[in-house]
Amino acid sequence: MTLSAPVTPETTTPVLPPGDDGGPPRRVKRGGKAGKQLRAGWLTYTILAIFTFGSLFPLVWTAIAASHSNARLAQSPPPFSFGDRLWHNLDQAWNTANMGKALFNTVFVAGTITVSTVLFATLAGFAFAKLRFRAKNLLLLLVIGTMMVPPQLSVVPLFMAIAELGWTNHLQAVILPMMVSAFGVFFMRQYLVQALPTELIEAARMDGANSLRVVWHVVLPVARPAMAVLAMLTFVMAWNEFFWPIIALTQQNPTVQVALTGLGRGYVPDQGVIMAGALLGTLPLLIAFAIFGKQIVGGIMQGALKG
Amino acid sequence: MTTHDSSAAPPVEGGAAPGRPGRAAESPEERRQRRRSWRFRMDTKASPYAFIAPFFLFFGAFGLFPLLFTGWAALHRVRLAAPNDMEWAGLDNFVRLMSDEYFWNALGNTFTIGVLATVPQLAIALGLAHLLNYKMRGSNFFRVAMLTPYATSVAAATLVFAMLYGRDYGMINWALDLVGIDAVDWKSGSLTTQFAISTIVIWRWTGYNTLIYLAAMQAVPKDLYESAALDGASPWKQFLHVTLPSLRPTILFTVVVSTIGATQLFGEPLLFGGSPSGGAQNEYQTLGLYMYEMGWTNFNLGRASAIAWAMFLLLIIIGLVYWAVTKLASRGTAGKGA
Amino acid sequence: MRTTPRTRMTRRAAVGTAAMMLAVTACSSGGDSDSNGGDGDKITLTVGVFGQFGLEEAGLYEEYMELNDNIVIEQTSVQKSEDYYPALLTRLPTGSGLMDIQAIEVANIYEVTNELSQYFVDFNDYDVDTGHFLDFKLAQATNADGKVVGLGTDIGPMGICYRTDHFEAAGLPTDRDEVSALWADDWQAYIDTGKEFVESDVDAAWVDVAGGVFNAVVNTYEERFYDTSGEVVYQESEAVQTAWDLAMDAAESGITAKQKQFEAEWDRAIANGDFATVSCPAWMLGYIQDKAGDAGEGLWDFAHAPSPGNWGGAFLSVTEASEHKEEAAKLAAWLTAPEQQARFFAERGSFPSSAEAVQAPEVADATHDYFQDAPIGRLFTEAAEGIPTLVLGPRDQVIQEQIANGLLAADTQGLSSEEAWESTVNSIENALAD
């Protein structure tokens, strides 16, 4: 099943002119962008504002819920404004859930997974996009086919293997199975097949560069925007991964999502604390979005799959 | 075997050092170059495999074994608590699926939720991308804001939505009440529950798809619009006749990715009702959820594995259909491009 | 000494994969400290619990660590039992990722005792006094060979919690003895009182949900879903039929609030007094107190159920995989000893599973000030004496959940009794089939 067929970009987008200095060729095209762009009217702003509100509201409400007591949350109508227990609930969630260690672990896990996924996906994506080798199409199909394996059931055999290795409750148990991603390979391949002018590689070859140098000096600079996007997608995904970590890890050495499962402690589950936990688990990503938002979004802008 | 037909097509391999024409006899310079060219050929031949090797090594270790194990388990009677204690069952588990009303129910639910979640999601994303493509103030703010749902974990998102959708105390029914609509029981009944779950999926993924579309739109060459404008095409016509055709590959990509995601939908329906039965009457039990119920509530690993493989095969069939459709479609629009 | 039968094939496959993974990852250990390592000569004991277990909150670990300064106790808690038990099941056959002590819910104790006992130690092999437990509790954790795999922490003798303000407004008596007398020995009278109640103009339902009625009634019988020979008999059992009919009566006469138990909405319904009665095991009192908050103080009281049953309760088991079985068994025995159970009740309201603890004055004489000083010690003790010795089976939980689902569909979607029953039987048969 050549899923690649529909998304193969060569069929539509005209081949880019090679950048004359070997820099990212994209810019050449971006030049004339301003020209005839349509201007947004009030209707546009209104629609966008509504959707922005819809995007942000559940998050804001999570914060509101996290600032109230169990008894207040149980009343009707639900609270619309912030209460006075936000710090108390956050503190409670932080302490009962082993959050300090969980955050450290999660940054480490998600960071490692991100670096390796992006690196390996770029290499493989480049090979699939621009190099010629035997069984290439078959192998690419295999990669895409692996995206279709339903992840839940891998848990049992995977855990048997992990246990055999004595890795239960160790971070490598959640890192190693996620070190590569078929989506990533596919993503990078789709980008590079179109964004990386073959002439650039040939020119580098002419100058006597070996494969590694080609990757370093030609592929990576071109691939950077897509790598940034893939990094963000992977990091967020790894951060929020839940199903496998809760089996492989325990709360003695948790990731954020595992730690959060221990929140309903005390005599009675405290909704406010649980919401505070949900907030704590999301907040670091939101802060990162706020800080790097422009770069991340900019990266997506440049690097998204055009084809 | 490697003949250098670098003139024909892009392939880089072989296009490098070897074939520099027009040099006379063997000079030391030449010899060095030839040695280098030998190394080059080795390099170009081996490096593709080296580049893809890490993926396949990791996949072999952590993806293939589970897949094969699951396939093997699907042919056995085996319980979760003793996964090594297998009793051969042949194709029983698969045959049973054919007449398993819960399986077909789950398949139907997966399909309807998939459609309910994917179609509006991609349509809204396309529309929003179009709007965001206008020249405006605060465009970065809008873009980042729309991406925030993606950062929210399924667990956190579903937790909030489950509360918003409460029958007696949820904010959505409260708002409906304000405009005179009676309370809706969002947690029972096929249509309402499936709608509610679809909105969670839509909420989390629309922004992400919006930005992908937006990026693709920005890459559409401007002269296409200019010439369309010269022909007197309205903005709407331009969207229809310039933007959409240019975006077709991207749209297909998002459709493929969304389809895979929808078929494997699991976290939202599980957490929405808090149980793998997906509603009192399995109103929103998806295939992923049914598999989970079979494995982790009924502890029947053999039957659960069969469901997993059925999902796997189903996706492959869908893949084939897509492939056939796009083949036909691209034949229809003539074979431009190499 | 794991005794799992392993087929050669899978073992070799697992080892092969393991070797491959090692090769791939030679130097990538983001590893962390060993959970079982002790600092100095201290021994770390780990306890895995689910939900609102309360041993830690009651200060029992702290006290034990003070008494035994070579022991450090670490607890791992998973909020939902539905997350906890499957993870435990996945880990047991591998002997990996397990705590020294694992809590087991009563719904799972049959399977653990009879089908998974090889993964747990026999408390008879250690110097543990099991004589003080209530007979039925000990019997539940003892298998045919006499192996004792679990020590009971608490039980859930049931009564009825009710809102005195609603009762008063509807012209019903409010005194707890009079209320008990309204439906003594007669569940139908309980439902009929409910019908009377909703005809008054009090803006509340009688009971939370039909499944709650079923649950309360079915647990007053010895034989529910299995008979003593281990056959699945839920379709014929008197317990199920009686409980089902009563629950359907409640659903069809519209006296339920149609709130699925333990959802956020149910919590709010409690807080707002949306239903006047709810079946109340001992551990539910604290739950109601917390959810209803200050606003509900003095509005709730507690009466006997028509007939007593048991809902919930747990056990502590020591895993074979533990490196400190001796110490773990000692800790489990201490945590479930009569004195600690009595304290556990005083702190948390979990009713003791130890016959000795039940007689301790801090249990027998206990009252609950949130429930208008109800003499809960006396009431629960009386209820506990009437708890039948349930006949358990391996799939009790699945059967019970599917019945609850069927009743919920009848309750919220108006299915008839026949439709709901048919759908329930279908689901159960599908779940039980190999």
Side-chain angles (χ1 to χ4, degrees), chain B residues 211-273:
Chain B
L211 294 183
I212 293 210
Y213 286 149
L214 179 55
M217 282 179 190
Q218 298 200 328
V220 177
K222 297 296 175 238
D223 43 338
L224 285 182
Y225 288 108
E226 277 160 24
S227 57
L230 282 180
D231 292 346
S234 67
W236 172 243
K237 283 256 162 71
Q238 290 181 25
F239 176 74
L240 228 52
H241 297 298
V242 179
T243 313
L244 276 187
S246 312
L247 249 58
R248 217 179 50 197
T250 310
I251 293 172
L252 277 163
F253 175 85
T254 54
V255 167
V256 169
V257 171
S258 304
T259 305
I260 293 179
T263 308
Q264 297 176 349
L265 190 67
F266 169 74
E268 287 89 349
L270 174 68
L271 297 167
F272 185 71

Coordinates of all heavy atoms in Angstrom, one line a residue, chain B residues 211-273:
Chain B
L211 N -2.3 24.8 11.5 CA -0.9 25.3 11.2 C -0.3 24.6 10.0 O 0.4 25.2 9.2 CB -0.1 25.2 12.4 CG -0.6 26.2 13.6 CD1 0.3 26.1 14.8 CD2 -0.7 27.6 13.0
I212 N -0.6 23.3 9.9 CA 0.0 22.5 8.8 C -0.6 23.1 7.5 O 0.2 23.3 6.5 CB -0.3 21.0 9.0 CG1 0.5 20.5 10.2 CG2 0.1 20.3 7.7 CD1 0.9 19.1 10.1
Y213 N -1.9 23.3 7.5 CA -2.5 23.8 6.3 C -2.0 25.2 6.0 O -1.7 25.6 4.8 CB -4.0 23.9 6.4 CG -4.7 22.6 6.3 CD1 -5.8 22.3 7.1 CD2 -4.2 21.6 5.5 CE1 -6.5 21.1 7.0 CE2 -4.8 20.3 5.5 CZ -6.0 20.1 6.2 OH -6.6 18.9 6.1
L214 N -1.9 26.0 7.0 CA -1.4 27.4 6.9 C 0.0 27.4 6.2 O 0.2 28.2 5.3 CB -1.4 28.1 8.2 CG -0.9 29.5 8.2 CD1 -1.7 30.4 7.3 CD2 -1.0 30.1 9.7
A215 N 0.8 26.6 6.7 CA 2.2 26.5 6.2 C 2.1 26.2 4.7 O 2.8 26.8 3.9 CB 3.0 25.5 6.9
A216 N 1.3 25.2 4.4 CA 1.2 24.8 3.0 C 0.7 26.0 2.1 O 1.1 26.2 1.0 CB 0.3 23.6 2.8
M217 N -0.3 26.7 2.7 CA -0.9 27.8 1.9 C 0.2 28.9 1.7 O 0.2 29.5 0.6 CB -2.0 28.4 2.7 CG -3.3 27.7 2.7 SD -4.6 28.5 3.6 CE -5.8 27.2 3.6
Q218 N 1.0 29.1 2.7 CA 2.0 30.1 2.5 C 3.0 29.8 1.4 O 3.7 30.6 0.9 CB 2.7 30.5 3.8 CG 1.7 31.0 4.8 CD 2.3 31.7 5.9 OE1 3.4 31.4 6.3 NE2 1.6 32.7 6.4
A219 N 3.1 28.5 1.1 CA 4.1 28.1 0.1 C 3.5 28.0 -1.3 O 4.2 27.8 -2.2 CB 4.6 26.7 0.5
V220 N 2.2 28.3 -1.4 CA 1.6 28.4 -2.7 C 2.2 29.6 -3.4 O 2.1 30.7 -2.9 CB 0.1 28.5 -2.7 CG1 -0.5 28.6 -4.0 CG2 -0.5 27.3 -1.9
P221 N 2.7 29.4 -4.6 CA 3.4 30.6 -5.3 C 2.4 31.7 -5.5 O 1.2 31.5 -5.9 CB 3.8 29.9 -6.6 CG 3.8 28.5 -6.4 CD 2.9 28.2 -5.3
K222 N 2.8 32.9 -5.2 CA 1.9 34.0 -5.2 C 1.4 34.4 -6.6 O 0.4 34.9 -6.8 CB 2.5 35.3 -4.6 CG 2.9 35.1 -3.1 CD 1.6 34.9 -2.3 CE 2.0 34.6 -0.9 NZ 1.5 33.4 -0.3
D223 N 2.3 34.1 -7.6 CA 1.9 34.5 -9.0 C 0.6 33.7 -9.4 O -0.1 34.2 -10.3 CB 3.0 34.3 -10.0 CG 3.7 33.0 -9.7 OD1 3.6 32.4 -8.6 OD2 4.4 32.5 -10.7
L224 N 0.4 32.5 -8.8 CA -0.8 31.8 -9.2 C -2.1 32.7 -8.8 O -3.0 32.8 -9.5 CB -0.9 30.5 -8.4 CG 0.0 29.4 -9.0 CD1 -0.2 28.1 -8.2 CD2 -0.3 29.1 -10.4
Y225 N -2.0 33.3 -7.6 CA -3.1 34.1 -7.2 C -3.2 35.4 -8.0 O -4.2 35.8 -8.4 CB -2.9 34.6 -5.7 CG -3.1 33.5 -4.7 CD1 -2.0 32.9 -4.1 CD2 -4.4 33.0 -4.5 CE1 -2.2 31.9 -3.2 CE2 -4.5 32.0 -3.6 CZ -3.4 31.4 -2.9 OH -3.6 30.4 -2.0
E226 N -2.0 35.9 -8.3 CA -2.0 37.2 -9.1 C -2.7 37.0 -10.5 O -3.5 37.8 -10.9 CB -0.6 37.7 -9.3 CG -0.1 38.5 -8.1 CD 1.4 38.6 -8.0 OE1 2.1 38.5 -9.1 OE2 1.9 38.8 -6.9
S227 N -2.3 35.8 -11.1 CA -2.9 35.6 -12.4 C -4.4 35.4 -12.3 O -5.2 35.8 -13.1 CB -2.2 34.5 -13.2 OG -2.2 33.4 -12.5
A228 N -4.8 34.6 -11.2 CA -6.2 34.4 -11.0 C -6.9 35.7 -10.8 O -8.0 35.9 -11.3 CB -6.4 33.5 -9.8
A229 N -6.3 36.6 -10.0 CA -6.9 37.9 -9.7 C -7.1 38.7 -11.0 O -8.1 39.4 -11.3 CB -6.1 38.7 -8.7
L230 N -6.1 38.6 -11.9 CA -6.1 39.3 -13.2 C -7.3 38.8 -14.0 O -7.9 39.5 -14.7 CB -4.8 39.1 -13.9 CG -3.7 40.0 -13.5 CD1 -2.4 39.7 -14.3 CD2 -4.0 41.4 -13.5
D231 N -7.6 37.4 -13.8 CA -8.7 36.9 -14.6 C -10.0 37.3 -13.9 O -11.1 36.8 -14.4 CB -8.6 35.4 -14.6 CG -7.4 34.9 -15.5 OD1 -6.9 35.8 -16.2 OD2 -7.0 33.8 -15.5
G232 N -10.0 38.0 -12.8 CA -11.2 38.5 -12.2 C -11.8 37.5 -11.3 O -13.0 37.6 -11.0
A233 N -11.0 36.6 -10.7 CA -11.5 35.6 -9.8 C -11.7 36.2 -8.4 O -10.8 36.9 -7.9 CB -10.6 34.4 -9.7
S234 N -12.9 36.0 -7.8 CA -13.1 36.5 -6.4 C -12.3 35.7 -5.4 O -11.7 34.7 -5.7 CB -14.6 36.3 -6.1 OG -14.9 34.9 -6.0
P235 N -12.1 36.3 -4.2 CA -11.3 35.5 -3.2 C -11.8 34.1 -3.0 O -11.0 33.2 -2.8 CB -11.5 36.4 -1.9 CG -11.8 37.8 -2.4 CD -12.5 37.6 -3.7
W236 N -13.1 34.0 -3.0 CA -13.7 32.6 -2.8 C -13.3 31.7 -3.9 O -12.9 30.6 -3.8 CB -15.2 32.7 -2.7 CG -15.9 31.4 -2.7 CD1 -16.8 31.0 -3.6 CD2 -15.8 30.4 -1.7 NE1 -17.2 29.7 -3.3 CE2 -16.6 29.3 -2.1 CE3 -15.0 30.2 -0.6 CZ2 -16.7 28.1 -1.4 CZ3 -15.1 29.0 0.1 CH2 -16.0 28.0 -0.3
K237 N -13.4 32.2 -5.2 CA -13.0 31.4 -6.3 C -11.5 31.1 -6.3 O -11.0 30.0 -6.6 CB -13.2 32.2 -7.6 CG -14.7 32.2 -8.0 CD -15.0 31.3 -9.2 CE -16.4 30.8 -9.3 NZ -17.3 31.9 -9.8
Q238 N -10.7 32.1 -5.8 CA -9.2 31.8 -5.7 C -9.0 30.7 -4.7 O -8.1 29.8 -4.9 CB -8.5 33.1 -5.2 CG -8.5 34.2 -6.2 CD -7.8 35.4 -5.7 OE1 -6.9 35.3 -4.8 NE2 -8.1 36.6 -6.2
F239 N -9.7 30.7 -3.6 CA -9.6 29.7 -2.6 C -9.9 28.3 -3.2 O -9.2 27.3 -3.1 CB -10.5 29.9 -1.4 CG -10.5 28.9 -0.4 CD1 -9.4 28.7 0.5 CD2 -11.6 28.0 -0.2 CE1 -9.4 27.7 1.5 CE2 -11.6 27.0 0.7 CZ -10.5 26.9 1.6
L240 N -11.0 28.3 -4.0 CA -11.5 27.1 -4.6 C -10.5 26.6 -5.7 O -10.3 25.4 -5.8 CB -12.9 27.3 -5.2 CG -14.0 26.3 -4.8 CD1 -14.1 26.1 -3.3 CD2 -15.3 26.8 -5.4
H241 N -10.1 27.5 -6.5 CA -9.4 27.0 -7.7 C -7.9 27.1 -7.6 O -7.2 26.6 -8.4 CB -9.9 27.8 -8.9 CG -11.3 27.6 -9.2 ND1 -11.8 26.4 -9.5 CD2 -12.4 28.4 -9.2 CE1 -13.1 26.4 -9.7 NE2 -13.5 27.7 -9.5
V242 N -7.4 27.9 -6.6 CA -5.9 27.9 -6.5 C -5.5 27.2 -5.2 O -4.6 26.3 -5.2 CB -5.4 29.4 -6.5 CG1 -3.9 29.4 -6.3 CG2 -5.8 30.1 -7.8
T243 N -6.0 27.7 -4.1 CA -5.6 27.2 -2.8 C -5.8 25.7 -2.7 O -4.9 24.9 -2.4 CB -6.3 27.9 -1.6 OG1 -6.2 29.3 -1.9 CG2 -5.6 27.6 -0.3
L244 N -7.1 25.3 -2.8 CA -7.4 23.9 -2.6 C -6.6 22.9 -3.5 O -6.0 21.9 -2.9 CB -8.9 23.6 -2.8 CG -9.8 23.9 -1.6 CD1 -11.2 23.5 -1.9 CD2 -9.2 23.3 -0.4
P245 N -6.5 23.1 -4.8 CA -5.7 22.2 -5.6 C -4.3 22.1 -5.1 O -3.7 21.0 -5.1 CB -5.8 22.8 -7.0 CG -7.1 23.6 -7.0 CD -7.2 24.1 -5.6
S246 N -3.7 23.3 -4.7 CA -2.3 23.2 -4.3 C -2.2 22.5 -3.0 O -1.1 21.9 -2.7 CB -1.8 24.7 -4.1 OG -2.1 25.5 -5.2
L247 N -3.2 22.5 -2.2 CA -3.1 21.8 -0.9 C -3.4 20.4 -0.9 O -3.3 19.7 0.1 CB -4.1 22.5 0.0 CG -3.5 23.4 1.2 CD1 -2.6 24.4 0.6 CD2 -4.6 24.0 2.0
R248 N -3.8 19.9 -2.1 CA -4.3 18.5 -2.1 C -3.4 17.5 -1.5 O -3.8 16.7 -0.7 CB -4.7 18.1 -3.5 CG -5.9 17.2 -3.5 CD -6.3 16.8 -4.9 NE -5.2 16.3 -5.6 CZ -5.1 16.1 -6.9 NH1 -6.2 16.5 -7.7 NH2 -4.1 15.7 -7.5
P249 N -2.1 17.5 -1.8 CA -1.2 16.5 -1.1 C -1.2 16.7 0.4 O -1.2 15.7 1.1 CB 0.2 16.9 -1.7 CG -0.1 17.7 -2.9 CD -1.4 18.4 -2.7
T250 N -1.2 17.9 0.9 CA -1.2 18.1 2.3 C -2.5 17.6 2.9 O -2.5 17.0 4.0 CB -1.0 19.6 2.6 OG1 0.1 20.1 1.9 CG2 -0.8 19.8 4.1
I251 N -3.6 17.9 2.3 CA -4.8 17.4 2.8 C -4.8 15.9 2.9 O -5.3 15.3 3.9 CB -6.0 17.9 1.9 CG1 -6.1 19.4 2.0 CG2 -7.3 17.2 2.3 CD1 -7.1 20.0 1.0
L252 N -4.3 15.3 1.8 CA -4.3 13.8 1.9 C -3.4 13.3 3.0 O -3.7 12.3 3.7 CB -3.8 13.3 0.5 CG -4.9 13.2 -0.5 CD1 -4.4 13.1 -1.9 CD2 -5.9 12.0 -0.2
F253 N -2.3 14.0 3.2 CA -1.4 13.6 4.3 C -2.2 13.7 5.6 O -2.2 12.7 6.4 CB -0.2 14.5 4.4 CG 0.7 14.2 5.5 CD1 1.7 13.2 5.5 CD2 0.6 15.0 6.7 CE1 2.5 13.0 6.6 CE2 1.4 14.7 7.8 CZ 2.4 13.7 7.7
T254 N -2.9 14.8 5.9 CA -3.6 14.9 7.1 C -4.7 13.9 7.2 O -5.0 13.4 8.3 CB -4.2 16.3 7.3 OG1 -4.9 16.7 6.2 CG2 -3.1 17.4 7.5
V255 N -5.3 13.6 6.1 CA -6.4 12.6 6.1 C -5.8 11.2 6.5 O -6.4 10.5 7.4 CB -7.1 12.5 4.8 CG1 -8.0 11.3 4.7 CG2 -7.9 13.7 4.5
V256 N -4.7 10.9 6.0 CA -4.1 9.6 6.3 C -3.7 9.5 7.8 O -4.1 8.6 8.5 CB -2.8 9.4 5.5 CG1 -2.0 8.2 6.0 CG2 -3.2 9.1 4.0
V257 N -3.1 10.6 8.3 CA -2.7 10.6 9.7 C -3.9 10.6 10.6 O -4.0 9.9 11.6 CB -1.7 11.8 10.0 CG1 -1.5 11.9 11.5 CG2 -0.4 11.6 9.2
S258 N -4.9 11.4 10.2 CA -6.1 11.4 11.1 C -6.8 10.1 11.1 O -7.4 9.7 12.1 CB -7.1 12.5 10.6 OG -6.4 13.7 10.6
T259 N -6.8 9.4 9.9 CA -7.5 8.1 9.8 C -6.9 7.1 10.7 O -7.5 6.4 11.5 CB -7.5 7.6 8.4 OG1 -8.0 8.6 7.5 CG2 -8.3 6.3 8.3
I260 N -5.5 7.1 10.7 CA -4.8 6.2 11.6 C -5.2 6.5 13.0 O -5.5 5.6 13.9 CB -3.3 6.2 11.3 CG1 -3.0 5.7 9.9 CG2 -2.6 5.4 12.4 CD1 -1.6 5.7 9.5
G261 N -5.1 7.8 13.4 CA -5.4 8.2 14.7 C -6.9 7.8 15.1 O -7.1 7.4 16.2
A262 N -7.8 8.0 14.2 CA -9.2 7.7 14.5 C -9.4 6.3 14.7 O -10.2 5.8 15.6 CB -10.1 8.3 13.4
T263 N -8.8 5.4 13.9 CA -8.9 4.0 14.1 C -8.4 3.5 15.4 O -8.9 2.6 16.0 CB -8.2 3.3 12.9 OG1 -8.7 3.9 11.7 CG2 -8.6 1.8 12.9
Q264 N -7.4 4.2 15.9 CA -6.8 3.7 17.1 C -7.3 4.5 18.3 O -6.8 4.4 19.4 CB -5.3 3.9 17.1 CG -4.7 3.0 16.0 CD -3.2 3.1 15.8 OE1 -2.6 4.1 16.3 NE2 -2.6 2.2 15.0
L265 N -8.4 5.3 18.1 CA -8.9 6.1 19.2 C -9.2 5.3 20.5 O -9.8 4.3 20.4 CB -10.2 6.8 18.7 CG -10.7 7.9 19.7 CD1 -9.8 9.1 19.7 CD2 -12.1 8.3 19.3
F266 N -8.7 5.8 21.6 CA -8.7 5.0 22.8 C -8.8 5.8 24.1 O -9.7 5.6 24.8 CB -7.4 4.2 22.8 CG -7.2 3.5 24.1 CD1 -7.9 2.3 24.4 CD2 -6.2 3.9 25.0 CE1 -7.7 1.7 25.6 CE2 -6.0 3.3 26.2 CZ -6.7 2.1 26.5
G267 N -7.9 6.8 24.2 CA -7.9 7.5 25.5 C -9.1 8.3 25.8 O -9.7 8.2 26.9
E268 N -9.6 9.0 24.8 CA -10.8 9.9 25.0 C -12.0 9.1 25.5 O -12.6 9.4 26.5 CB -11.1 10.7 23.8 CG -10.1 11.8 23.5 CD -8.9 11.4 22.7 OE1 -8.8 10.2 22.5 OE2 -8.1 12.3 22.3
P269 N -12.4 8.0 24.7 CA -13.6 7.3 25.2 C -13.4 6.6 26.5 O -14.3 6.4 27.3 CB -13.9 6.3 24.0 CG -12.6 6.3 23.2 CD -12.0 7.6 23.4
L270 N -12.1 6.1 26.7 CA -11.9 5.4 28.0 C -12.1 6.4 29.2 O -12.8 6.0 30.1 CB -10.5 4.8 28.0 CG -10.1 4.2 29.4 CD1 -10.9 2.9 29.6 CD2 -8.6 3.9 29.4
L271 N -11.5 7.5 29.1 CA -11.5 8.4 30.2 C -12.8 9.2 30.3 O -13.2 9.6 31.4 CB -10.3 9.4 30.1 CG -9.0 8.7 30.2 CD1 -7.9 9.6 29.8 CD2 -8.7 8.2 31.6
F272 N -13.5 9.3 29.2 CA -14.8 10.1 29.2 C -15.8 9.4 30.1 O -16.5 10.1 30.9 CB -15.3 10.2 27.8 CG -16.5 11.1 27.7 CD1 -16.4 12.5 27.9 CD2 -17.8 10.6 27.5 CE1 -17.6 13.3 27.8 CE2 -18.9 11.4 27.4 CZ -18.8 12.7 27.6
G273 N -15.9 8.1 30.0 CA -16.9 7.4 30.8 C -16.2 6.7 32.0 O -16.9 6.2 32.9

